[in-house]
Amino acid sequence: MSDAEPARRHNGRIPGGEGSASGPLPAGIPRPWWIYQGTGRPLHDVSLEDILPPPPPWRTFGGVSAGPVDADGVDGVLSDPNEPPTEPPAPPEDAQDTARRLGATPLGLRSEAEEADVVNAALILRRPLLVTGRPGTGKSTLAYRISRELGLGRVLRWPITTRSTLRSGLYGYDAVGRVHAAAAGQAAEEDGHEPGPEDIGDFLQLGPLGTAMLPHRLPRVLLIDEFDKSDIDLPNDLLDIFEAGEYSIPELVRIRRRRPAVSVLTDDPDRSTVIASGRVRCRAFPIVVITSNGEREFPPAFLRRCLQLRLPDPDADRLAAIVAAHLGRADDPRARELIDMFLERSRHEGGLAADQLLNAVYLVTARSETPGPEWEELLRAVWHRLDAAGST
């Protein structure tokens, strides 16, 4: 049976029905209804479009947009209103970014059954996934595993800060730059020169959230990272986007009569799309992974629209897989010894991050000589506590 066979067999199967697992399964055995298998390895001989069930009626969206820009830069508006245009396939995954998250190769360990259950439920129900856990448990990595396994290309990442707003995730508008360009054009005209073309689309760029909501045929993976840092209003501001699957750009809505379609840049490098009448509606709701360290509570209305998953601290086997993926040195006796020391230190310090282990393993295995007595002091510096008490 091929790696993709469990995904194929889910069609027409009812979770909990005959032949499916309604309770815990032995480690490494997927449930028949899973699409995402939790391995991080790309599906073979099957396309997500072929195995993904249609969305629930209340999560179906129309996919409104003028479509992508063609090779000649002409607006990609289709004449058939019954077949809305879609965006081109997502760019390939960013190899450097993905390697930083997953390592040089996909992780060999399968996700826990509970984790894969919730990911698949979010995928089928077209709902955002709120992932909580301590730093270093692989919350952000999950988005890259999903994208790689399902063949969904480049992950759209929206890193959250205290200054992040809904608009900054949807699009950016350089109003000052446009004013300066208009003034330069007017000055050139007064000097007798032909002013260069000035287009509002040159000063608009969609953000990660705005790009994810474009009418893609297959869902894009959107990582909303470190949501704990957000302003208190941002969770509520996202509610309408998650529910309606659409948004408007007021700067384009105001000029829709004389400019019904405007080409703008997207969050994908060197890509543009055409926005019709200043309005965008998704076709395939994105796979939204929202990470949180559990440092704050979110409004009930926001939580109601998300599926929630808490990632446990990694055990020795998973830490060994992480070391193998990033450094290829999990079999080194010194690495195994460090993993055991790390787990003990993590329990003593109230939790450490996996990248702190990677730092220590690299320091030891990158050199041939055995560390001296100073090593214990160095470990204290590398394996410092992650809360406020550890920084004093």
Side-chain angles (χ1 to χ4, degrees):
M1 183 171 63
S2 71
D3 292 344
E5 189 63 25
R8 286 199 202 97
R9 291 193 294 118
H10 96 279
N11 283 332
R13 305 298 292 273
I14 300 174
E18 183 181 355
S20 70
S22 58
L25 288 176
I29 299 180
R31 303 189 195 276
W33 63 276
W34 282 356
I35 300 171
Y36 168 72
Q37 302 296 305
T39 64
R41 298 190 178 96
L43 294 173
H44 296 292
D45 305 323
V46 67
S47 167
L48 178 62
E49 193 170 15
D50 297 329
I51 62 176
L52 182 63
W58 56 90
R59 299 297 293 163
T60 301
F61 307 100
V64 174
S65 171
V69 179
D70 65 20
D72 299 320
V74 180
D75 293 351
V77 182
L78 298 184
S79 57
D80 183 1
N82 297 318
E83 181 60 31
T86 58
E87 294 294 304
E93 65 181 25
D94 184 322
Q96 184 176 7
D97 193 25
T98 302
R100 187 163 51 245
R101 299 284 183 170
L102 296 180
T105 59
L107 299 184
L109 277 179
R110 185 184 296 276
S111 298
E112 296 293 334
E114 179 185 2
E115 175 184 318
D117 277 346
V118 178
V119 170
N120 279 286
L123 178 63
I124 293 171
L125 294 174
R126 276 65 168 184
R127 285 294 184 184
L129 182 62
L130 177 61
V131 185
T132 60
R134 287 197 292 206
T137 53
K139 301 184 297 296
S140 301
T141 298
L142 179 60
Y144 290 82
R145 287 171 62 95
I146 294 171
S147 185
R148 170 173 280 184
E149 181 172 320
L150 301 183
L152 297 177
R154 177 178 177 267
V155 173
L156 296 162
R157 179 173 176 264
W158 182 17
I160 299 299
T161 71
T162 55
R163 298 182 298 277
S164 297
T165 62
L166 178 62
R167 173 172 153 167
S168 67
L170 291 174
Y171 72 97
Y173 175 51
D174 185 5
V176 175
R178 191 180 183 200
V179 169
H180 288 168
Q186 182 178 358
E189 188 173 9
E190 291 173 353
D191 291 341
H193 301 292
E194 185 71 23
E198 187 266 329
D199 191 326
I200 187 173
D202 295 336
F203 305 95
L204 273 166
Q205 181 172 10
L206 301 185
L209 175 61
T211 301
M213 288 292 174
L214 289 171
H216 300 281
R217 184 173 295 276
L218 290 176
R220 295 295 299 272
V221 176
L222 172 65
L223 171 61
I224 304 179
D225 215 3
E226 299 193 6
F227 204 53
D228 301 85
K229 297 180 180 178
S230 67
D231 179 84
I232 191 171
D233 293 325
L234 185 56
N236 284 323
D237 292 342
L238 279 170
L239 294 181
D240 187 59
I241 297 294
F242 287 164
E243 202 63 24
E246 64 177 82
Y247 66 96
S248 296
I249 300 178
E251 291 83 356
L252 300 185
V253 172
R254 287 195 291 267
I255 62 171
R256 66 185 184 278
R257 296 186 186 279
R258 45 192 180 85
R259 290 294 307 279
V262 176
S263 173
V264 303
L265 293 172
T266 72
D267 190 64
D268 290 318
D270 304 319
R271 284 206 176 184
S272 298
T273 191
V274 176
I275 306 298
S277 301
R279 180 168 169 247
V280 173
R281 182 190 299 159
C282 71
R283 175 169 177 164
F285 190 80
I287 300 173
V288 183
V289 177
I290 306 170
T291 70
S292 165
N293 293 329
E295 297 173 356
R296 59 175 285 193
E297 295 184 357
F298 299 112
F302 174 81
L303 296 177
R304 181 166 56 87
R305 288 164 172 82
C306 299
L307 273 70
Q308 299 181 54
L309 171 67
R310 178 166 183 82
L311 296 184
D313 294 343
D315 58 16
D317 288 340
R318 191 164 295 276
L319 288 173
I322 292 172
V323 171
H326 287 273
L327 300 175
R329 298 166 185 165
D331 294 334
D332 188 313
R334 293 173 296 178
R336 297 298 305 192
E337 182 181 0
L338 277 173
I339 290 173
D340 294 337
M341 293 173 60
F342 175 83
L343 288 171
E344 179 62 30
R345 183 64 173 267
S346 182
R347 285 189 289 269
H348 181 266
E349 297 292 353
L352 300 176
D355 58 350
Q356 292 175 285
L357 171 64
L358 291 174
N359 290 336
V361 173
Y362 184 80
L363 282 172
V364 170
T365 59
R367 44 189 292 173
S368 57
E369 61 271 18
T370 302
E374 78 283 355
W375 177 242
E376 187 67 27
E377 192 64 32
L378 181 58
L379 275 185
R380 288 197 192 94
V382 174
W383 292 348
H384 59 81
R385 293 183 62 174
L386 300 178
D387 56 16
S391 61
T392 57

